Amino acid sequence: MDKRKFDFQAFQRAVGATVEARGTNWKRVSEETGISQTTLSRMTRGRQPDAEGLTALAAWSGVNPVDFMTGPKHPRESIAMVGRLLRDDPNLDDDGAEALEAIIRAAYARFKRSQT
């Protein structure tokens, strides 16, 4: 059985450090993320947000919730990471990002080391 668990307190501290580093406050975070001030206040007292709130905070802060999972970790798949970066690139439209991802997937398959 997988014993992985999300360390919300550590995630919350990292988001709090981001708030402080940006010289902002939780009211502003609420305005920028759409998460109510009440929800943010409860979160500072240890209450976990719903998936949408967690995602909004992660997007706003750049803090990756996956980094706060305890237990055994699986390696990140580089192709998935590259694909996400390409889709996020403001210089590429969807077709361009898909085309580049296909090229990279083909090259990766060609040069990937055998898992033997």
Side-chain angles (χ1 to χ4, degrees):
M1 181 173 192
D2 194 359
K3 298 287 184 182
R4 296 177 57 100
K5 184 178 174 189
F6 181 60
D7 185 349
F8 177 72
Q9 290 178 340
F11 175 80
Q12 176 64 25
R13 286 192 302 274
V15 172
T18 302
V19 171
E20 187 176 314
R22 292 182 182 173
T24 192
N25 57 49
W26 290 104
K27 181 178 185 223
R28 183 81 174 161
V29 173
S30 174
E31 293 167 357
E32 293 180 9
T33 62
I35 301 171
S36 74
Q37 289 184 38
T38 304
T39 298
L40 289 172
S41 177
R42 281 191 292 239
M43 287 171 49
T44 61
R45 294 190 308 271
R47 296 275 314 265
Q48 293 189 25
D50 60 11
E52 187 175 324
L54 183 71
T55 303
L57 268 181
W60 177 86
S61 66
V63 175
N64 187 346
V66 173
D67 295 336
F68 297 89
M69 292 299 296
T70 62
K73 295 197 179 352
H74 300 283
R76 295 181 182 170
E77 294 297 327
S78 55
I79 293 297
M81 293 170 60
V82 168
R84 184 187 60 79
L85 290 171
L86 291 171
R87 288 187 299 279
D88 288 347
D89 188 325
N91 297 309
L92 297 172
D93 61 17
D94 290 343
D95 290 339
E98 278 185 40
L100 282 172
E101 187 175 359
I103 291 167
I104 293 167
R105 281 181 188 278
Y108 187 86
R110 166 64 177 88
F111 295 109
K112 180 179 175 183
R113 281 187 266 149
S114 174
Q115 298 294 323
T116 59

